[in-house]
Each structure stands twice: as structure tokens, then as C-alpha cells.
Amino acid sequence: MRRYAGTPAWKVSVTMDTVTVKIRPCAEEFTAEEDAALRRAGSIIQSGGLVAFPTETVYGLGGDALNRESSRKIYAAKGRPADNPLIVHICRLEDMERIAAHVPEEAFGIAEAFWPGPLTMILPKAELVPPETTGGLDTVAVRFPLDKTARKLIEYGGGYIAAPSANRSGRPSPTLAKYVAQDMDGRIDMIIDGGPVGIGLESTILDLTVTPPRILRPGYVTREMLQGILQKVDMDVTTLTADSGQAPRAPGMKYRHYAPKGELTIVEGSFEAVIGYINRQTAAERERGERTGIICTSESGPRYSADVVKCVGSRRDEAGIARKLFSVLREFDDECVTKIYAESLEAAGLGQAIMNRLLKAAGHRVVQV
Ligand code: TXA
Ligand code: MG
């Protein structure tokens, strides 16, 4: 048995050999070797095993969505509470109608506009899907990813792969296979290393079981983009505030998430005030023996001094910031940083998803200056 610090005994699984296979990220066709590796991965899934794989958003931890034992294994490998449902990944549009009891008209319009791609739809669940996969809910989350390796694995794995992000519960979602290995080595059968992911934040979750449809988790597909297809789209109030007094509608959004080991604080205010405040704070904390870190943008980077200063890119390039955010959060752990300050970003468009993840990573600790 392998013990992880701070892990209750019931969440510890037996150590197994985790095999890693590499698939070139952007190649047009799979080589015979790659295809054989993906077939092997598919047969692991079909026989009840777990395989981590790349998607365009983050790496997923896959098991057969129709096999209740596979879903139980996913929860155990992640150390995830069993009331937090999994997303079912498909590779053919028609499969949406097999796992959903009823597909509303809007879902077809959304699928046409955004699938395959970084969008998950919540629909009423069909009998076929066991309650273990949906955390006991009578709805099911469905996603048709764009990533070609993911789609081939889903096909070889039998068509329905339940996959949460491939991190241990509470950690940032993995954007590289090495981060999957850090969290999952010895706990799953295989890791498919498909290189760095393209987007870096998890899919947008859209609940189509309510009227009007509601975004439960912001992502690359923004509210503005959805409004181009649907007449009205609501946003779950809990996505950007901690004190709405309501429980999030996506069960997973209520858990502490993405958190680095150091204490993270977000600083909001004018450009100059934020820089001044963060520099004063980190100087004072270094005096007290803390190891300090700053998450900044290229516009302000040269103005900071701390033990570790990490730039997530330009404020004008939100997609670049999204791609880097989770790896930066993990790097602070590797560098043993104890106090971290992050500049706040504009919460519009993709910035909404970035701020949603940053706020959760900070446990909603925000300072106004
Ligand atoms: O981009 C993604 O969505 C990645 C990749 C691997 O596809 N997956 C992912 O899964 O982020 P996970 O399990 O880390 O996050 C899924 C979220 C959780 O917050 C969960 O509570 C919510 O989706 N969810 C799943 N099924 C749901 C349902 N039936 N109703 C409401 N929320 C649901
Ligand atoms: Mg996750």
C-alpha cells in the first residue's frame, strides 16, 4: 500500500504499475505503434481499468462510464467524494441520445455549434448510466471532446468514458502528463502522454435541465458565445462569489479546488496600487521567514520582487493565461512557496473562467487596495 500524506486510510488504493505511452500531439494520423497503444488503452478501459488521457482542456482520468466498478475506482484513485458526479465522454453525436433520457431541442443546436469541443451539457440521465457515475443524480454530464487521441480512446474503450480531471482531489487539474504522474502514479493502469493540452482550463458546463439553461462552470466556451445560439443563458451565482449563500449546482464546485499548498491571496485595485501592495506584503513576509511568490502578468512582471515571481503572460492574451495558470499553481508547490499573491484579472469572456479557478484556488481570499 502506498500512503499519501494527509490521506484517510479508506482513500488509499493498492499500488500498481502505471504504464506510460506517448502519442504525438499534433500528427494527422496515428502510427501503427500509436494505434496499438490506443487499442491496448481501450481494452484496459473495457476490462474495468483506468487510463489517464489528454483532452483539449485538461488531462482526464478515464474508466468505463457504464461500469459501476470503474466509477468507484475513479473516486478511489482521485480521493474524490462519491457525491461528485463524473462527466461521460462520447465520440459520436448519436451517443448523446443513448445516455440521455431526453434531449431538448437546444442541445442539438449547442452540439452543432460547439461539439466536438470544450463544452459539457447536463441532461436527464438514461437508465443505461449507473448512479455511481452520476454521483446518485438523475442527470448526466455529457462531453464530446475535440482532441483526436481522446476520441480514439473513447472509440476503442467502448464509446462511453467517465472522466474527471486526472488530479488528486483538491489539486490543480493537470495540463501535462508529468502532473498526472505526480498525482496518479501507482494508482491507475496507464497514462497516455499526448503533450501539453491546448486550453488549460476545464470545459464549460451548461445545464440544459433548467429554463433558461445555466452555466454551472465557466470555461473556454463563454456565456457570450452561448448567447449566440440560445436566447437566454444564466450564470450560476456561485461561480464568482463565495458569499451568495447558495450551494453550487455542479456538486464539484463546492469543494476546495486547484489550491496550491501555500496561502494564495488575490489583490484587486488599480495597477499601481496592486503592485505597491504586493511588494510591501512580500517584503514583510520574507522578513518573517516566509517563502514568497507572486503570480503576475508580463505588463507588471519586472516591477515585482519576491522569492518566486511567475508570469502567466500578457493581459491581452487570456488564452495564454488560461494555458499557464494550473502549471504555475503546481510550480509554487515544487518550489515550496508558503505565501502567494496574485493580481486580479478582468472577469469577462475567458477571464471569467480564469477568475473562477483563481478564486477557488485562493479559497476566495481577496484583498481590495
Ligand atoms: O474539461 C473537462 O470537463 C475535464 C476533461 C477531462 O474532460 N473534466 C472535468 O471533470 O473537469 P471534473 O470531474 O473534474 O469536473 C466535472 C464537474 C464537477 O464539478 C461535477 O460536479 C460537475 O462537473 N458535474 C458532473 N455531472 C454533473 C451533473 N449531472 N450535474 C451537475 N454537475 C455535474
Ligand atoms: Mg476536476
Side-chain angles (χ1 to χ4, degrees):
M1 296 279 267
R2 178 180 293 189
R3 284 287 168 111
Y4 289 80
T7 308
W10 64 270
K11 288 182 178 168
V12 177
S13 68
V14 177
T15 299
M16 56 171 93
D17 285 333
T18 303
V19 178
T20 298
V21 297
K22 278 194 189 264
I23 305 285
R24 294 156 310 143
C26 299
E28 286 290 304
E29 296 285 327
F30 296 115
T31 61
E33 230 174 61
E34 288 171 335
D35 190 67
L38 289 170
R39 281 183 192 278
R40 185 170 157 213
S43 69
I44 292 173
I45 299 271
Q46 296 217 30
S47 53
L50 302 185
V51 176
F53 62 99
T55 82
E56 69 277 20
T57 56
V58 297
Y59 274 77
L61 172 56
D64 180 357
L66 308 187
N67 178 343
R68 59 187 79 227
E69 279 311 316
S70 298
S71 294
R72 287 201 187 109
K73 280 191 197 168
I74 291 175
Y75 289 109
K78 273 186 72 95
R80 175 170 177 149
D83 72 343
N84 188 0
L86 307 174
I87 295 175
V88 180
H89 295 66
I90 58 173
C91 61
R92 289 172 294 253
L93 186 58
E94 59 270 29
D95 289 340
M96 165 169 74
E97 291 173 270
R98 300 210 173 88
I99 54 169
H102 161 73
V103 179
E105 203 46 51
E106 298 112 305
F108 292 101
I110 293 288
E112 196 179 318
F114 302 107
W115 275 3
L119 177 89
T120 297
M121 288 194 254
I122 307 291
L123 299 170
K125 178 181 94 65
E127 282 293 310
L128 186 65
V129 186
E132 283 78 1
T133 300
T134 61
L137 297 179
D138 55 9
T139 53
V140 61
V142 192
R143 166 151 139 74
F144 185 167
L146 178 64
D147 185 277
K148 150 174 128 335
T149 300
R151 283 194 279 163
K152 199 46 129 183
L153 176 70
I154 299 164
E155 182 192 329
Y156 289 160
Y160 307 93
I161 293 192
S165 48
N167 51 285
R168 300 260 296 141
S169 200
R171 303 263 291 148
S173 299
T175 50
L176 291 170
K178 75 169 180 187
Y179 296 140
V180 179
Q182 277 175 8
D183 282 15
M184 292 295 160
D185 199 21
R187 307 173 75 88
I188 61 175
D189 300 281
M190 186 187 264
I191 298 171
I192 301 176
D193 179 352
V197 300
I199 293 177
L201 299 179
E202 309 85 344
S203 61
T204 305
I205 300 181
L206 180 68
D207 187 354
L208 285 161
T209 66
V210 293
T211 310
R214 183 183 298 162
I215 296 171
L216 306 187
R217 179 174 73 183
Y220 188 82
V221 176
T222 61
R223 185 182 194 178
E224 293 74 15
M225 287 157 80
L226 290 165
Q227 275 165 341
I229 308 290
L230 300 167
Q231 284 190 335
K232 193 166 185 306
V233 185
D234 281 350
M235 176 71 80
D236 192 298
V237 286
T238 62
T239 54
L240 289 175
T241 55
D243 49 11
S244 65
Q246 294 181 31
R249 305 271 306 209
M253 300 302 280
K254 71 174 180 266
Y255 294 108
R256 192 178 132 94
H257 239 105
Y258 316 120
K261 291 177 187 139
E263 183 188 86
L264 171 62
T265 305
I266 299 171
V267 185
E268 263 178 24
S270 71
F271 188 70
E272 290 299 327
V274 168
I275 294 172
Y277 177 84
I278 292 181
N279 276 333
R280 283 193 302 279
Q281 285 296 114
T282 48
E285 273 162 0
R286 278 166 104 176
E287 291 275 302
R288 290 198 286 273
E290 303 282 358
R291 192 164 156 75
T292 56
I294 298 173
I295 301 176
C296 63
T297 49
S298 52
E299 285 77 4
S300 54
R303 309 264 313 267
Y304 285 117
S305 95
D307 295 309
V308 181
V309 179
K310 300 258 176 209
C311 175
V312 285
S314 168
R315 285 175 176 266
R316 289 188 301 273
D317 175 18
E318 287 181 326
I321 294 177
R323 216 175 296 127
K324 274 196 94 170
L325 182 65
F326 286 153
S327 61
V328 160
L329 290 175
R330 279 184 182 255
E331 284 163 17
F332 281 116
D333 287 351
D334 297 342
E335 300 188 48
C336 304
V337 174
T338 54
K339 294 276 180 191
I340 308 162
Y341 289 87
E343 295 176 355
S344 184
L345 298 163
E346 206 189 324
L350 182 54
Q352 196 151 45
I354 296 169
M355 281 310 292
N356 168 264
R357 307 311 192 271
L358 202 52
L359 282 161
K360 286 180 77 66
H364 288 270
R365 192 178 302 102
V366 181
V367 175
Q368 306 274 349
V369 294

